[in-house]
Amino acid sequence: MPKAKITNEEALAFHLDPTPGKWEVQATVPMTTQRDLSLAYSPGVAVPCEAIAENPETAYDYTNKGNLVAVISNGTAVLGLGNLGALGSKPVMEGKSVLFKRFADVNSIDIELDTEDPDEFCNAVRLMGPTFGGINLEDIKAPECFIIEQRLKEEMDIPVFHDDQHGTAVICAAGLLNALKISGKKIEDVKIVLNGAGAAGIACIELLKAMGARHENCIVCDTKGVIYQGRTEGMNQWKSAHAITTELRSLEDAMKGADVFLGVSVKGAVTQDMVASMADNPVIFAMANPDPEITPEEAHEVRVDAIVATGRSDYPNQVNNVLGFPYLFRGALDIHARAINDEMKIACAHALANLAREDVPDEVAMAYGKSLTFGRDYIIPTPFDPRLIHRIPPAVARAGMDTGAARRPIIDMDAYELSLKSRMDPTASILRGLNARARSAQRRMIFAEGDDPRVLRAAVTYQRSGFGKAMVVGRADEVKQKLEAAGLADAVRELEVINAANTQHLDVYKSFLYKRLQRKGFDQKDIHRLAARDRHVFSALMLAHGHGDGLVTGATRKSAHVMDRIGHVFDADAAHGAAGVTALLHKGKIVLIGDTLVHEWPDENDLANIAERAAAVARHMGLEPRVAFVSFSTFGYPVSERAEKMHLAPDVLAARGVDFEFEGEMTVDVALNAHQQAGYPFSRLTGPANILIVPARHSASISTKLMQEMGGATVIGPILSGIDKPIQICSTGATANDILNMAVLASCDIG
C-alpha cells in the first residue's frame, strides 16, 4: 500500500485555512440577552467568585478548571527538530491541544514560554496553576525537563506530566507486558537494554523498574556506550541512578543475550548482527522517530521470532503517545487529582495491555482494513479503538483514588463509564474508518471536471493521501495551467489526464451509448456530442467499461443536470431504486437524511425503498441503522393527508421483514431526542434515530442546507445509492475537501 505524501504547501495550507491555527474558543452558555450577560459577568459572576474564595474546591463546579489542561513548552526540543524556540513550537502545542479534545474531550490551551531558564519557567507555570486542572509539559530538552517537572510536581497541587517522558514510558510498558506474555517471560527475569538516556529513555526504564524489572538486569546506553558504575564522561544525576556494575562497554556488547531492546535514540543504531545476538523470542521496541533504530523488516530477516514495535503508524505495534496522555488526564481530571503518580501510570499501562488481548470490535477492523488479533503483530491497541475512552480513564481514576491522589473520588464507576462513552465523537472514527478502507481499496478514481481548481486539488490530495490513482477528465494543457496557478505545479506529472481526444475507447463508448439511447430520440450525431464533449457522460462511460473504479462529479453543474447525464449511461433513477442519502455531522453526532437527490415526491413504497438504501449506507459507515419517518405529526396526530404516507411507510417495511429498527411517523424532536421519545414507550426505536426519511426532496434539501448554514453541520453527500457502480455527486458549492470526501465514499463503494 503506498504511503501518503504530504507536501510543504499542503501542510502550510492546512494550518492557514479556514482560519490560522488549529483551535478556537466557543462559549458553552447562552450569550444573547442582557440577562445572559448579567449572569455571565456582572453582577451574577460575583456569586461563584465568593463561593470559590470561601471554598476553593468549588472552582471545579463553577469554572472550567476541572476539564482544562495547559500544554506548555519552551521549544527547546521540538519533535526531532531541536531547539526552535517558544514561538517555533506553537504549531506542535496547538496540535497537542486538539489531540486532547479529539481523543478524551479534554479542553486544552497551548502556552509557549520564552525562556530557557528553569527557574523562570517554573515560576511562570506555578503562577498559572489556579487556572488549570492539569499541566502537560512538552518538548523541553533534557536534563532541564527533569528539573522542571520535579520542581513543579513538588510546588503544585494539580497533575504535572511531561509527556515526552511518561507518555512514551506508559505505552512502551503496555506493549512490553504483552510482548513478554507472548514470549513466556517475566519482567523480573528479563535482561533489558535501553539505548537513549534522554527524557523518554530514563522515564521508560524507571517505570519498568517500578513494575518489577530488576536494576541489575537493566543496561542503559547513550552515545558514549554503556552507563556503568564509575563512568564520568557525559554523566548526570539521572543517568547515574541507572549505572550498574558491569564490564560491558558498548551497545553491541550489551545486546548479546538481551531479552528486550528499547530504543529512543537514532535511525540505524541497531544492526542485524546485534539482533541476531539477542536471546530467544527477543522483544525490540525501536521507537526513534521518524525512522527506527532498525526496521521490522531488517529485524525479521535475522530473527523471525522477534516481536517488533516502532513509533510509526505504517508498521504494526505503534508506540503512540496518544494512547496515553489524553486518557491519563481524563481519569486524573475526573477525580480532581493532585498528581499523576506511578500507580496511575502503571494502571494505564495494564489497562492498555489488557485491552489489546480482547477481541477487536468490527468497526476497528473495518477502519484498519484488516483483522486485528492479539499476537506478535498486535500487542498495543490502535489509537482509534472506541473502547479506549471508557476503559483507560476508569483504571487511572481507581488507581488515583486508591493512592490518595483524588480530591473527589468517583462513587458510581458504572455511571462514570457510561458518561465516558457519551463523550465519544462517532463522526471522527467513521471518517477515519472510511479513509482507511479507501487506502486499502486502492481504487482508480475518475474526477470528471478537470477544468475546476477545486476538483484538481481534491484529485491531487486523493493520490497523495495514498487512496489510489486519480484520473482527471480534461485537457492536459488546461489541467497543467490550473495546477500551476493553484501552486501545485509539481503534481502535473502525478495525475493521469484523459479526454475524448486521446482515448482509444471512444468508438466502443459511442456504440454502447447508441444501443442505450437509440430508441429514446438520440441519433448518431447526438451520441457523438454526448460521448466526446460532455465530461459527465464521458466519465460515466469510462466507469461503465471498467476504465476506472469510481466516479466523482457535480462540482460545476447542478445535480439534476448531472443525474440526467449519468442516466444516459446507468439506470440512475427512482424507477430502478436509486436514492440519495446525505450525512450530517454535527457536535459529535451523525444523522443520515434521505432522499436528497432522486425522488421528487415518493409514495410509501418509495419511502420504504429509500429507508433500505439509507440503512445500507449507514452500515457501510459502521452505524447500526435506526430509521425514523419524520413529518410534522407524531403517530397520527395531527391528522393530515400529507402525513399519511409517512404513517404507512413503516407498515411496508414491517411487511418486508427488514433487519433494522424503524418507526414513524414522528416529528424530528421525537426522532432525535431521547427525553421526547420516552413519552412514546411503544416505539420500536431503542434510542435516537440516526436516519431520517423525509416526505419529499424539497424538505430534504431545506433540512440539510438549513443545518449546514445555520447549525454549522458538516455535510457529506448526497451519497448516491442503488447504482451498479460507485458514483458520487458533489454540490456546486463543494470545497476541495468536500470533493475529496465524496471520492473516499466512492472508493469505499458506499451506495
Side-chain angles (χ1 to χ4, degrees):
M1 188 185 303
K3 292 180 172 62
K5 175 184 176 183
I6 297 175
T7 65
N8 292 349
E9 293 79 9
E10 287 173 304
L12 292 173
F14 182 87
H15 286 79
L16 177 64
D17 294 323
T19 56
K22 291 195 282 280
W23 62 267
E24 65 181 9
V25 175
Q26 288 187 327
T28 58
V29 294
M31 296 289 287
T32 52
T33 68
Q34 181 60 47
R35 179 175 175 77
D36 294 337
L37 299 179
S38 297
L39 286 167
Y41 197 54
S42 182
V45 75
V47 180
C49 288
E50 291 174 338
I52 293 169
E54 183 177 342
N55 180 6
E57 277 295 296
T58 60
Y60 288 92
D61 299 312
Y62 302 131
T63 76
N64 63 9
K65 177 182 175 74
N67 195 40
L68 186 62
V69 168
V71 176
I72 305 181
S73 180
N74 61 2
T76 52
V78 180
L79 303 176
L81 305 173
N83 189 343
L84 297 185
L87 190 58
S89 75
K90 185 169 173 60
V92 179
M93 302 311 123
E94 285 188 1
K96 193 65 174 281
S97 293
V98 296
L99 289 179
F100 266 112
K101 188 65 177 177
R102 160 63 183 88
F103 286 98
D105 196 24
V106 172
N107 295 322
S108 179
I109 291 177
D110 64 288
I111 296 173
E112 293 73 36
L113 298 178
D114 192 13
T115 179
E116 295 188 19
D117 184 305
D119 290 334
E120 287 187 340
F121 190 99
C122 288
N123 286 336
V125 176
R126 178 177 55 81
L127 292 171
M128 290 188 291
T131 305
F132 302 102
I135 304 292
N136 184 100
L137 301 175
E138 192 82 11
D139 289 358
I140 305 168
K141 68 182 176 72
E144 286 89 338
C145 63
F146 302 119
I147 300 168
I148 288 169
E149 187 194 42
Q150 185 57 42
R151 182 172 150 188
L152 288 174
K153 286 170 75 171
E154 292 170 357
E155 294 179 352
M156 302 184 75
D157 66 346
I158 56 174
V160 177
F161 184 86
H162 185 208
D163 187 49
D164 300 299
Q165 296 180 59
H166 309 298
T168 302
V170 167
I171 314 309
C172 173
L176 185 58
L177 286 171
N178 280 337
L180 294 179
K181 181 178 178 66
I182 291 168
S183 58
K185 300 178 182 180
K186 296 181 179 179
I187 193 168
E188 59 267 25
D189 298 331
V190 293
K191 176 184 174 183
I192 300 173
V193 175
L194 165 69
N195 194 49
I202 294 293
C204 283
I205 208 68
E206 286 183 347
L207 187 61
L208 293 179
K209 288 180 179 179
M211 295 173 69
R214 292 178 180 166
H215 174 77
E216 62 270 20
N217 289 348
C218 298
I219 303 171
V220 179
C221 302
D222 61 9
T223 55
K224 304 187 184 306
V226 173
I227 295 173
Y228 58 88
Q229 287 284 353
R231 197 184 103 172
T232 56
E233 187 182 9
M235 295 294 286
N236 58 43
Q237 68 187 77
W238 296 278
K239 292 181 183 181
S240 297
H242 301 284
I244 62 169
T245 302
T246 179
E247 297 300 315
L248 302 173
R249 291 297 180 265
S250 69
L251 175 63
E252 184 178 11
D253 293 338
M255 289 284 276
K256 292 173 183 174
D259 298 287
V260 177
F261 170 77
L262 305 178
V264 276
S265 51
V266 294
K267 173 185 178 182
V270 174
T271 66
Q272 288 184 317
D273 288 341
M274 292 181 191
V275 172
S277 74
M278 295 179 74
D280 290 344
N281 294 306
V283 177
I284 300 168
F285 278 36
M287 299 177 285
N289 260 325
D291 298 302
E293 286 81 0
I294 186 168
T295 67
E297 295 95 334
E298 292 167 338
H300 285 134
E301 278 181 14
V302 293
R303 294 299 296 271
V304 294
D305 58 339
I307 298 174
V308 186
T310 71
R312 291 177 54 145
S313 61
D314 52 350
Y315 287 122
N317 302 327
Q318 184 191 15
V319 179
N320 190 333
N321 283 22
V322 82
L323 288 165
F325 70 84
Y327 310 110
L328 270 165
F329 271 97
R330 180 76 274 154
L333 290 170
D334 292 338
I335 58 172
H336 302 178
R338 297 178 178 87
I340 294 175
N341 55 36
D342 279 351
E343 290 82 0
M344 294 162 77
K345 289 181 281 186
I346 292 170
C348 181
H350 278 288
L352 286 168
N354 291 335
L355 189 61
R357 296 173 194 173
E358 298 179 11
D359 290 339
V360 178
D362 291 341
E363 63 263 36
V364 177
M366 188 184 297
Y368 284 84
K370 60 184 177 181
S371 177
L372 299 172
T373 306
F374 179 60
R376 293 174 178 270
D377 288 334
Y378 179 66
I379 58 173
I380 305 170
T382 61
F384 292 90
D385 191 317
R387 299 170 297 176
L388 288 163
I389 183 66
H390 62 88
R391 294 290 293 276
I392 311 306
V396 173
R398 285 189 187 95
M401 292 187 290
D402 292 344
T403 54
R407 285 189 183 87
R408 191 177 297 180
I410 296 168
I411 305 301
D412 187 342
M413 291 301 291
D414 291 337
Y416 176 53
E417 289 185 25
L418 284 173
S419 73
L420 290 170
K421 289 181 181 179
S422 70
R423 288 181 179 273
M424 270 300 295
D425 178 353
T427 61
S429 58
I430 286 169
L431 292 177
R432 165 76 183 187
L434 292 173
N435 284 345
R437 285 164 58 191
R439 200 167 282 115
S440 177
Q442 290 298 299
R443 305 289 191 207
R444 297 168 299 162
M445 191 56 54
I446 304 166
F447 293 83
E449 298 149 310
D451 56 341
D452 190 287
R454 297 168 298 161
V455 173
L456 292 176
R457 285 199 298 273
V460 170
T461 305
Y462 179 87
Q463 188 155 305
R464 288 182 173 177
S465 297
F467 294 134
K469 180 68 178 173
M471 307 169 73
V472 174
V473 175
R475 292 191 294 272
D477 55 345
E478 186 177 15
V479 169
K480 181 176 184 292
Q481 178 186 353
K482 294 201 171 180
L483 283 171
E484 289 172 349
L488 293 169
D490 57 334
V492 171
R493 290 181 297 276
E494 298 175 30
L495 300 179
E496 182 178 352
V497 182
I498 301 166
N499 68 14
N502 63 18
T503 181
Q504 59 185 340
H505 305 297
L506 187 59
D507 288 340
V508 174
Y509 292 171
K510 290 196 295 185
S511 176
F512 171 88
L513 196 60
Y514 186 59
K515 287 179 182 177
R516 276 187 61 88
L517 302 181
Q518 60 190 357
R519 294 183 181 274
K520 296 182 179 180
F522 291 84
D523 61 22
Q524 296 278 11
K525 291 182 179 179
D526 297 327
I527 295 301
H528 178 78
R529 278 193 294 269
L530 283 172
R533 299 178 189 174
D534 190 298
R535 289 178 182 176
H536 307 291
V537 175
F538 180 78
S539 300
L541 287 165
M542 284 180 62
L543 183 63
H545 287 80
H547 300 143
D549 302 314
L551 168 62
V552 178
T553 186
T556 62
R557 299 296 299 269
K558 297 288 187 183
S559 60
H561 174 85
V562 176
M563 283 294 294
D564 175 70
R565 292 299 189 261
I566 289 172
H568 291 329
V569 181
F570 294 97
D571 295 327
D573 55 19
H576 290 89
V581 181
T582 295
L584 294 177
L585 285 62
H586 187 55
K587 292 185 177 179
K589 297 179 180 178
I590 181 165
V591 174
L592 307 183
I593 295 181
D595 175 4
T596 54
L597 186 63
V598 180
H599 293 258
E600 181 67 33
W601 182 252
D603 63 20
E604 59 268 23
N605 292 296
D606 296 324
L607 290 167
N609 293 339
I610 294 166
E612 291 196 67
R613 292 291 182 205
V617 170
R619 283 186 167 143
H620 273 299
M621 299 177 79
L623 297 170
E624 190 55 39
R626 284 195 297 272
V627 173
F629 292 90
V630 292
S631 182
F632 62 90
S633 57
T634 299
F635 298 118
Y637 184 83
V639 176
S640 167
E641 182 182 340
R642 288 268 170 172
E644 180 68 11
K645 63 180 183 178
M646 309 308 292
H647 186 78
L648 295 174
D651 296 334
V652 177
L653 283 184
R656 294 179 183 180
V658 296
D659 62 346
F660 54 84
E661 292 182 24
F662 58 90
E663 190 56 278
E665 89 281 18
M666 60 179 67
T667 55
V668 170
D669 55 337
V670 174
L672 300 180
N673 188 307
H675 179 71
Q676 295 278 11
Q677 278 186 358
Y680 302 92
F682 54 84
S683 173
R684 286 173 283 203
L685 296 183
T686 60
N690 52 24
I691 298 172
L692 303 181
I693 306 300
V694 297
R697 199 170 81 202
H698 63 264
S699 51
S701 176
I702 292 167
S703 302
T704 54
K705 286 180 168 54
L706 187 62
M707 278 298 299
Q708 184 176 29
E709 296 303 320
M710 294 294 291
T714 297
V715 175
I716 298 178
I719 300 163
L720 185 55
S721 176
I723 297 181
D724 292 339
K725 297 275 189 174
I727 302 172
Q728 298 303 339
I729 299 175
C730 320
S731 68
T732 53
T735 65
N737 193 58
D738 295 332
I739 298 166
L740 176 65
N741 283 337
M742 299 308 289
V744 167
L745 290 172
S747 185
C748 296
D749 199 5
I750 291 183

